[in-house]
Amino acid sequence: MTRHRIRLALSFATPLVVLSLAACTAPDPSAAGSDVDASSETPSETAAPTPTPADPSTGPAALTKPEARGLARSLVEARTGSFRSVTQLSGGRIERTGQYDLARLAHTLRADFDIGNEAFAVDAVIVGNDFYFKFTEADAKSSRCWSGFTYGDLGDQFADSGFLVPTEGSPGIPPELATLAFVEVDSDGQVTSDLYTTASVIGSRFVTALAIDPDADNLAPIDLTENGDGSLSWSTNLSALLDAVVASGAEPDPAIGMLFDTESSIAAEITGVGGSVTVQAPPDRLVVRPTGNDAADQRAFEQCDRA
């Protein structure tokens, strides 16, 4: 186990299992052919924000080294909060919102992707070792039903999918928050965080294309701001992040450069720290656990949607 993985385990007092983001963009069998409206029983915190608020705002690095060292501790003590991130790409945008509860190792996620000719949404709920998600194509009605997995089953289910499924990390902790656990400030005041965790905000497809080693201790530059209302914001320029990837010795897919330009960025914020949140798994009757048999799984989702 590498140094930064040990540090994350100590910061959040939880065993290392799986970083939840990677599976969130995996194909969902329930997306096919469903024309049933989303149920009111769907966890409400995964709904897309309407109207879309302004992008998270971050200023120059504002924390001293002692403040940065106490940052993860204060977030852990608070236990709960909300997160939001906006990734601006060349010709695309990704927005992620959700709530987290560290005491239960749980969080919700709504991720909206609009990249080139692709537009889709992913809703997910992570509660301990249980992972639920559904995939909705642009302009399609969302299924009432969710795919349900345990993290130990993910590798088997998605072995041939082409998506990255990490074998370690911390369930229930979104990377927007986990990035803050790795914050460091050098003698020149430069703020950095773990490269793999920071890049994970973009999604598993991009982490795979960037070829970042999850076990390496490479760093990415970030700007970090502690806002007066108790919220925290951080951002990074994706050109600078790509430079850090190359400097780490990784050999990213050349095509990734088409999405990263000098204006591309990640902007994230943690708000409502210590506030009330609701993170609930979907009702059992609205959960289908795929078997890998496409025909049987399709029938199961159709039956679930009619229930």
Side-chain angles (χ1 to χ4, degrees), residues 69-141:
R69 286 173 175 169
L71 183 59
R73 185 185 311 111
S74 65
L75 291 172
V76 170
E77 291 173 350
R79 298 293 186 187
T80 58
S82 299
F83 66 91
R84 179 169 178 260
S85 66
V86 174
T87 299
Q88 298 285 0
L89 301 167
S90 178
R93 186 177 189 273
I94 304 168
E95 180 175 356
R96 293 163 41 93
T97 58
Q99 298 180 326
Y100 64 86
D101 181 348
L102 295 180
R104 297 172 57 223
L105 289 176
H107 79 267
T108 63
L109 172 68
R110 168 72 182 208
D112 289 287
F113 296 79
D114 187 358
I115 304 171
N117 295 324
E118 285 191 86
F120 58 93
V122 175
D123 290 289
V125 181
I126 296 88
V127 181
N129 201 41
D130 294 315
F131 174 72
Y132 310 90
F133 79 99
K134 55 184 174 180
F135 176 96
T136 306
E137 295 181 357
D139 301 323
K141 293 181 180 180

Side-chain angles (χ1 to χ4, degrees), residues 5-213:
R5 299 302 172 202
I6 294 173
R7 188 163 68 248
L8 181 62
L10 293 175
S11 296
F12 291 100
T14 178
L16 299 180
V17 189
V18 181
L19 198 68
S20 61
L21 172 69
C24 291
T25 55
D28 181 359
S30 67
S34 172
D35 58 359
V36 182
D37 289 333
S39 170
S40 60
E41 294 161 311
T42 297
S44 60
E45 59 272 19
T46 60
T50 304
T52 300
D55 292 351
S57 174
T58 57
L63 297 188
T64 64
K65 181 176 285 191
E67 289 171 332
R69 286 173 175 169
L71 183 59
R73 185 185 311 111
S74 65
L75 291 172
V76 170
E77 291 173 350
R79 298 293 186 187
T80 58
S82 299
F83 66 91
R84 179 169 178 260
S85 66
V86 174
T87 299
Q88 298 285 0
L89 301 167
S90 178
R93 186 177 189 273
I94 304 168
E95 180 175 356
R96 293 163 41 93
T97 58
Q99 298 180 326
Y100 64 86
D101 181 348
L102 295 180
R104 297 172 57 223
L105 289 176
H107 79 267
T108 63
L109 172 68
R110 168 72 182 208
D112 289 287
F113 296 79
D114 187 358
I115 304 171
N117 295 324
E118 285 191 86
F120 58 93
V122 175
D123 290 289
V125 181
I126 296 88
V127 181
N129 201 41
D130 294 315
F131 174 72
Y132 310 90
F133 79 99
K134 55 184 174 180
F135 176 96
T136 306
E137 295 181 357
D139 301 323
K141 293 181 180 180
S142 176
S143 170
R144 297 172 66 232
C145 300
W146 300 69
S147 294
F149 299 91
T150 60
Y151 278 108
D153 295 334
L154 285 174
D156 293 337
Q157 293 289 344
F158 299 134
D160 299 322
S161 69
F163 290 89
L164 176 68
V165 181
T167 56
E168 63 175 351
S170 294
I173 304 175
E176 287 85 350
L177 177 62
T179 294
L180 297 174
F182 296 135
V183 164
E184 297 182 5
V185 182
D186 66 19
S187 59
D188 296 325
Q190 173 65 57
V191 181
T192 57
S193 185
D194 177 66
L195 176 60
Y196 182 85
T197 306
T198 302
S200 292
V201 174
I202 315 175
S204 63
R205 291 181 178 180
F206 297 95
V207 173
T208 303
L210 288 168
I212 304 171
D213 181 357

